[in-house]
Amino acid sequence: MKTRHTSLPAPADPVVHEPTGFPDAAELAVLRAWYAGVAVRPAVERYLPSALGNGKSARGVLGRIRRRLVSLARAAHRDDLAALFDHPADQRAQHAKAVAQAIDALRTVRPPEPQIADEIAQWFAPRAVRVLQAYGIATLADLTVRIPRRRQWWMLVPGLGAASARAIEAFFAAWPALTEKARALIVASRQSPIVPWESISLPHEVDGSEGTFRAPAATCTLDAANDYEAVQTWLSLHESPATQRTYRKEAERLILWAIVERGRALSSLTTEDAIAYRAFLRHPSPHARWVGPVRPRSSPDWRPFNGSLSPRSVAHALSILGALFRWLIEQRYVLANPFAGVKVRDASGSNVLDVSHAFTEGEWALVRTIADGLEWASGWSGPAAQRLRFLLDFGYATGLRASELVGATLGHIETDPRGDHWLRVTGKGKKLARVALPPLAWDALARYLAERGLPVTQLHWKPPTPVIGSLDADCVDTISSARLWMVMRRFFLLAAKAIEADHAPLAGKLRCASPHWMRHTHATHALGRGAELTTVRDNLRHASVSTTSIYLHSDEVKRARQIGDAFASRK
């Protein structure tokens, strides 16, 4: 038997942990002697000889004492004392008296109590401050009222990781009075009646308890006492989180509009109101009241709309509201549906996919090239750029919906006996299906797992591991659909700006692009490269092959080429 000899690793250098408390008497004696004009080494040898040896220099000992005083002063929010302790060494004589007084002051200083109007830069780490300020949070009041007290609230703030979130939570736990002050402040200052669904409090006059078109209570199958409770029951029927969010959005918009703009309860709306609401959806106004950038639902800056709706979106909203009122009629809560017969012009194609929301082969190649240079050209961090490139390759190669991307885990990936790879997904209507993972997707996954420091071999995978990882090393959860949308939109807008001068049409498309465009691009390119219609249909999980066939452009290309040949330009 052969004996395997394994060389032991060399011992690591000892880690020096600097003390963090107030300097003791010996350390202060070294400092005073130095300020009195004694050279560094004699001062340390006389008052702190135990600190020398093992390669430690006297200057290093003195430097650690001074740095500790600076840290203590900053922790006490006494930047004036910190600046004094941090003076250049050659100015010690002129600062000696002031430093002695500062040391005495630092012994008894008490950290100031945070005030609700304080800037966040006074209390949090610089990295967290930069992220919060970019999100529009400048003061403790902003932070308290905009951040909900629920699990993973920090995922709504781009770039704020779990570690920074825990530090913020610990800070507010140590100063609970801040939360109460901020709540009182926001109640006193917030005058906008536009609040998200979960914060709506209906005045009795418009809560629908006495709605004009309410059916007799004795025949109603609902326990709901008002419109809000009735709609809440309707929302609870839908178990899919995505469906519930979509339906809640439309009910939220309508009930707010009915109260704020018409002064009526939901159950008092007339057909004329429904027609007026259709016009409102096209151009929500007053703009400042109803329209704003994407914000967390807990933010005072939240608004129901991001802009005007297209005819297709208006038609979709009205179809949902029509379904809501039909259900209310079935439960004998109301007598009539004000949205019955309210149609939308130019929305005949509302059930047809928009094939213009796809990139050509050349456009996609350029977009992917921009992604390769994110670190050096745009300053993205390595992990963020790596994740973005994975999203592009994996999303494009599979045609997955955004909800399917963020819901995928390594446990959902299978390899059949032929060596082909598949991803199990739960699509629309809770339908279970398998999506093929072609080499582009499989290679992108292997590369991304290696970049995350995870096993590449399928045998060593942990099934719960999300396919799309968080940038926070402490977080094992996937990102949300909203976060995916923001990441992709940030990249598309950046790419549009980068190519604006040379490729204006593509820049225009990128400004409108969303993660779903990768699904359209996947279908268009697959069919263009010869994949069968039924194959693409099955991979996209379309109910009908007619839906998939809209991505076929070969007939149009052939027709344009033959007509062009027949009617060539004059020579």
Side-chain angles (χ1 to χ4, degrees):
M1 178 183 298
K2 293 184 179 180
T3 303
R4 178 180 297 174
H5 298 282
T6 304
S7 58
L8 295 175
D13 294 334
V15 178
V16 178
H17 297 283
E18 295 188 8
T20 57
F22 199 85
D24 59 25
E27 291 171 320
L28 291 178
V30 171
L31 198 63
R32 290 193 188 97
W34 181 69
Y35 274 106
V38 179
V40 178
R41 187 163 191 84
V44 175
E45 288 177 340
R46 180 173 181 180
Y47 296 106
L48 201 60
S50 61
L52 297 174
N54 295 326
K56 297 177 183 177
S57 69
R59 289 186 181 277
V61 173
L62 178 67
R64 284 193 290 273
I65 297 171
R66 296 183 65 199
R67 285 195 298 273
R68 201 174 343 147
L69 289 171
V70 171
S71 298
L72 290 170
R74 286 177 177 159
H77 296 277
R78 290 295 303 271
D79 291 338
D80 55 333
L81 299 184
L84 184 60
F85 293 134
D86 203 24
H87 66 77
D90 58 3
Q91 299 177 9
R92 59 175 172 169
Q94 63 192 77
H95 288 95
K97 184 176 180 180
V99 168
Q101 294 172 346
I103 291 174
D104 291 337
L106 192 59
R107 287 180 186 274
T108 57
V109 71
R110 294 181 61 185
E113 182 175 336
Q115 300 300 312
I116 197 65
D118 286 351
E119 294 186 1
I120 56 175
Q122 294 180 235
W123 299 100
F124 300 116
R127 180 187 177 279
V129 169
R130 287 194 299 272
V131 170
L132 292 171
Q133 288 176 339
Y135 193 62
I137 296 174
T139 67
L140 293 181
D142 294 336
L143 182 58
T144 309
V145 300
R146 295 192 187 196
I147 300 302
R149 300 300 174 209
R150 59 184 176 85
R151 185 173 178 267
Q152 293 187 349
W153 59 266
W154 48 270
M155 294 184 73
L156 296 172
V157 184
L160 186 69
S164 296
R166 283 196 293 269
I168 292 172
E169 291 169 353
F171 173 81
F172 281 105
W175 303 100
L178 287 174
T179 303
E180 297 305 319
K181 290 178 182 177
R183 286 174 180 165
L185 178 66
I186 196 62
V187 169
S189 62
R190 185 174 189 171
Q191 299 179 1
S192 173
I194 308 303
V195 295
W197 178 261
E198 56 272 19
S199 301
I200 292 177
S201 179
L202 300 180
H204 176 70
E205 300 78 21
V206 289
D207 69 356
S209 55
E210 299 177 2
T212 305
F213 303 109
R214 281 287 301 270
T219 64
C220 183
T221 62
L222 300 177
D223 291 330
N226 55 50
D227 295 346
Y228 184 91
E229 293 177 3
V231 175
Q232 187 63 50
T233 303
W234 175 68
L235 293 174
S236 300
L237 295 174
H238 308 283
E239 294 184 340
S240 166
T243 302
Q244 197 172 87
R245 282 195 302 270
T246 301
Y247 286 12
R248 180 193 64 191
K249 176 180 66 178
E250 302 306 339
E252 176 181 73
R253 288 172 170 176
L254 177 62
I255 204 167
L256 287 172
W257 175 84
I259 295 170
V260 175
E261 302 296 341
R262 308 296 274 194
R264 290 182 175 179
L266 190 76
S267 54
S268 296
L269 292 177
T270 65
T271 299
E272 288 79 5
D273 290 326
I275 294 171
Y277 185 67
R278 177 182 63 186
F280 168 79
L281 288 177
R282 288 193 174 109
H283 302 288
S285 60
H287 189 275
R289 177 186 294 167
W290 293 100
V291 182
V294 176
R295 290 287 185 267
R297 295 178 64 81
S298 59
S299 169
D301 301 328
W302 174 88
R303 293 293 181 269
F305 295 89
N306 302 324
S308 300
L309 301 189
S310 67
R312 289 179 58 201
S313 297
V314 173
H316 182 62
L318 295 185
S319 69
I320 292 174
L321 296 175
L324 164 61
F325 274 93
R326 287 193 296 273
W327 181 83
L328 292 174
I329 292 172
E330 291 172 0
Q331 309 310 311
R332 299 186 179 91
Y333 181 82
V334 295
L335 296 171
N337 178 3
F339 288 91
V342 179
K343 305 296 183 182
V344 180
R345 186 182 62 187
D346 300 329
S348 58
S350 60
N351 61 339
V352 178
L353 294 173
D354 189 347
V355 294
S356 67
H357 291 177
F359 299 104
T360 66
E361 295 270 4
E363 289 172 342
W364 184 252
L366 181 55
V367 169
R368 188 58 183 79
T369 300
I370 295 171
D372 283 333
L374 284 175
E375 292 96 330
W376 59 267
S378 304
W380 283 40
S381 69
Q386 291 159 2
R387 183 176 68 181
L388 188 282
R389 287 190 285 267
F390 169 72
L391 287 171
L392 291 176
D393 289 342
F394 198 80
Y396 166 68
T398 59
L400 291 172
R401 300 181 178 95
S403 60
E404 295 164 349
L405 275 170
V406 299
T409 68
L410 296 183
H412 294 154
I413 296 175
E414 303 170 345
T415 301
D416 63 22
R418 297 179 301 276
D420 295 323
H421 307 295
W422 302 86
L423 176 67
R424 286 183 286 109
V425 297
T426 303
K428 285 185 176 180
K430 296 291 182 181
K431 293 181 180 177
L432 299 178
R434 295 202 309 168
V435 174
L437 296 183
L440 176 60
W442 186 255
D443 293 344
L445 177 62
R447 183 168 56 252
Y448 183 50
L449 290 176
E451 290 165 345
R452 291 162 64 186
L454 297 175
V456 175
T457 306
Q458 195 170 3
L459 183 64
H460 298 133
W461 286 352
K462 292 182 179 179
T465 302
V467 169
I468 303 175
S470 167
L471 297 185
D472 194 314
D474 297 330
C475 180
V476 296
D477 297 322
T478 186
I479 62 175
S480 64
S481 296
R483 178 68 180 138
L484 172 67
W485 187 89
M486 287 190 288
V487 168
M488 297 301 298
R489 283 289 296 155
R490 178 192 175 199
F491 168 70
F492 287 143
L493 292 175
L494 181 150
K497 187 175 181 180
I499 64 172
E500 200 164 28
D502 301 321
H503 303 278
L506 176 55
K509 292 177 71 172
L510 284 166
R511 289 193 185 91
C512 302
S514 70
H516 204 71
W517 282 45
M518 293 192 295
R519 182 172 170 86
H520 294 317
T521 304
H522 164 90
T524 301
H525 291 188
L527 291 170
R529 295 169 183 173
E532 294 182 6
L533 194 60
T534 53
T535 298
V536 178
R537 177 202 63 188
D538 293 343
N539 217 49
L540 294 179
R541 287 143 293 128
H542 287 155
S544 169
V545 74
S546 62
T547 304
T548 314
S549 65
I550 66 167
Y551 295 109
L552 282 171
H553 305 298
S554 57
D555 290 343
E556 293 180 356
V557 173
K558 180 179 179 181
R559 176 154 53 103
R561 184 177 296 119
Q562 291 183 357
I563 295 296
D565 291 342
F567 298 95
S569 60
R570 293 181 178 179
K571 295 181 180 179

